[in-house]
Amino acid sequence: MEISTETLVNGIKSGDKRLLGKAITLVESKKPEHRIQADLLLKEILPLSGKSIRIGVTGVPGSGKSTFIENFGKLAIEKGKKVAVLAIDPSSAVNKGSILGDKTRMEELSREENAFIRPSPSSGFLGGVANATFESMLLCEAAGYDYILVETVGVGQSEILVSDITDIFLFIKIIGGGDELQGIKRGIMEMIDVVFINKVNDNNIREAKNTKVELMRALHFLPSKEKDWKIPVLLGSALENKGLDKVYLEIENFINLKFTNNNFHKIRQEQAEKRFDYWVQNYILEELKTKENSENEYNSHKKNASELKSNPSSEARLWVEEIFKKKLIIYCLVCFSLHIHHNL
Ligand code: GDP
């Protein structure tokens, strides 16, 4: 049964987790009628959104992201915050399997009154999923969540999307191993604001410290994202709850610095502009394919590109030019007939 927008809005405002979940399902849907309702819903809740700290969390599978989020979330709740957890899982789009979704995750945190955990979306293309994650984030903010943790796997594209919707980016690293080995590319390193070296104990503390030195050396050569911010590399154990308070503090420090530098809202605005551009491109493409009846031409140009008959950029330009030529002819015909009509 469809739930009315009003019921969803009231449910979100009153902190009803079931209705918040339903609202997220709605914004994740690609069905046109759902998009219309989703737009109405987002319009209603927008004034209530924007007040959380948005935290991206990345690291290779097994580095301890969910363990970290579970215990960090509990720590934040102890400090009086409400915590929501969302996930971007790139694997689901590629091979239908799921790196993030299948495990039983964060059981203790999910039992907390002041926590909301949304399992990762199980299908969809990355851009769309990331967009739904952003919209889900707005819904969580409207429901009063102070910290929104967006989890992803360190494989590349998903980090770029996460760093485009969050205020701070946290990297959970395991001891040793080159960054290449951990699948962490330079591009991802450039997005990082705080590093947490996980699974540190008495037996591996020396190795952990070496990893820290190596990492700090590598980070030293990267341009700083935020003026006067030296990326902290912290040691600890998510499982044993060690060092998480330091992460909490550094997140606060970073956010405060962003406010001091007048960058907090500025960067959110830039992020919104990027998303706007992304959607302009998407909607234009959809409109052109459907309304101009040119899906066949689109497919045939695309085929030429994929079969390497010509290069993709030339094919794309040809298709766009054809459409605009068609539009121009229609426009001229309309002007001409108006002119005749006027002269009669
Ligand atoms: P994710 O795939 O990055 O989300 O990693 P998980 O949080 O599922 O953790 C992977 C494994 O590492 C699990 O068996 C955890 O119990 C374990 N783990 C996580 N943090 C620590 C830690 O601080 N110390 C130890 N010894 N194990 C940990």
Side-chain angles (χ1 to χ4, degrees):
M1 196 188 71
E2 302 282 328
I3 302 173
S4 76
T5 312
E6 197 189 351
T7 308
L8 289 174
V9 171
N10 291 335
I12 290 168
K13 281 186 187 166
S14 67
D16 183 322
K17 289 191 206 176
R18 190 186 67 88
L19 286 171
L20 175 59
K22 296 271 179 206
I24 292 179
T25 306
L26 179 73
V27 300
E28 280 174 352
S29 170
K30 294 192 191 80
K31 284 193 189 150
E33 66 271 25
H34 289 166
R35 286 305 321 161
I36 292 169
Q37 196 188 358
D39 283 343
L40 285 174
L41 173 65
L42 289 164
K43 194 173 165 212
E44 288 288 318
I45 59 90
L46 198 67
L48 302 169
S49 70
K51 295 183 196 88
S52 79
I53 305 295
R54 304 163 179 175
I55 307 167
V57 180
T58 196
V60 294
S63 57
K65 292 178 297 299
S66 33
T67 313
F68 174 87
I69 291 174
E70 165 135 287
N71 284 332
F72 180 84
K74 279 159 61 186
L75 175 74
I77 288 170
E78 270 169 33
K79 290 180 186 284
K81 308 285 184 195
K82 280 182 79 175
V83 177
V85 182
L86 306 170
I88 291 187
D89 184 352
S91 58
S92 51
V94 181
N95 56 23
K96 304 272 184 274
S98 177
I99 301 176
L100 291 174
D102 297 342
K103 287 191 269 174
T104 314
R105 296 163 69 84
M106 305 171 206
E107 266 179 27
E108 284 182 30
L109 184 61
S110 64
R111 283 199 291 270
E112 292 278 346
E113 170 77 19
N114 285 330
F116 174 79
I117 298 175
R118 177 74 180 185
S120 49
S122 57
S123 69
F125 68 108
L126 261 180
V129 169
N131 178 62
T133 307
F134 177 73
E135 292 176 345
S136 307
M137 195 152 74
L138 299 180
L139 296 171
C140 291
E141 288 177 346
Y145 289 90
D146 308 288
Y147 277 41
I148 315 237
L149 294 141
V150 183
E151 179 184 6
T152 187
V153 185
V155 292
Q157 208 186 349
S158 54
E159 275 69 24
I160 302 171
L161 293 158
V162 175
S163 76
D164 279 347
I165 58 173
T166 51
D167 305 312
I168 176 163
F169 207 56
L170 184 66
F171 174 33
I172 311 290
K173 189 177 156 67
I174 39 179
I175 298 170
D179 296 317
E180 287 301 318
L181 266 182
Q182 289 197 27
I184 301 298
K185 310 205 174 60
R186 188 188 150 99
I188 297 173
M189 295 285 281
E190 283 176 4
M191 293 167 204
I192 291 163
D193 303 303
V194 175
V195 181
F196 182 71
I197 301 183
N198 191 26
K199 308 193 187 184
V200 178
N201 58 36
D202 289 344
N203 299 326
N204 61 22
I205 182 85
R206 270 176 74 112
E207 224 188 323
K209 283 185 177 163
N210 287 341
T211 304
K212 174 175 171 162
V213 171
E214 258 173 53
L215 195 62
M216 285 176 73
R217 206 175 290 144
L219 290 168
H220 181 73
F221 291 106
L222 294 175
S224 155
K225 246 173 76 186
E226 187 64 43
K227 189 173 159 277
D228 297 332
W229 181 250
K230 198 167 164 287
I231 298 171
V233 179
L234 308 167
L235 305 182
S237 164
L239 193 64
E240 292 163 28
N241 243 318
K242 287 186 185 148
L244 302 187
D245 46 349
K246 280 191 237 149
V247 180
Y248 191 88
L249 199 66
E250 292 294 359
I251 290 175
E252 275 189 338
N253 289 343
F254 184 75
I255 298 297
N256 288 341
L257 182 67
K258 269 185 133 174
F259 274 106
T260 311
N261 290 348
N262 281 328
N263 270 339
F264 189 83
H265 292 293
K266 191 173 148 250
I267 290 173
R268 281 196 175 179
Q269 278 171 354
E270 287 169 7
Q271 291 175 333
E273 284 171 12
K274 267 198 207 171
R275 267 195 308 284
F276 173 79
D277 281 341
Y278 169 85
W279 285 105
V280 165
Q281 289 176 26
N282 259 278
Y283 285 131
I284 287 181
L285 185 61
E286 281 312 306
E287 284 282 310
L288 292 182
K289 279 202 298 196
T290 50
K291 297 246 167 76
E292 301 294 325
N293 278 329
S294 59
E295 181 136 25
N296 287 343
E297 286 93 333
Y298 171 84
N299 286 332
S300 95
H301 283 294
K302 198 172 180 176
K303 194 155 172 265
N304 287 345
S306 72
E307 289 174 355
L308 305 178
K309 286 184 186 154
S310 73
N311 85 68
S313 85
S314 315
E315 283 299 328
R317 188 159 50 78
L318 274 176
W319 180 64
V320 171
E321 280 176 1
E322 270 169 28
I323 286 167
F324 281 96
K325 259 183 225 151
K326 244 199 272 176
K327 271 192 115 58
L328 193 65
I329 292 168
I330 294 169
Y331 178 72
C332 291
L333 285 173
V334 171
C335 290
F336 184 65
S337 63
L338 282 175
H339 180 73
I340 299 214
H341 184 74
H342 187 72
N343 285 339
L344 281 177

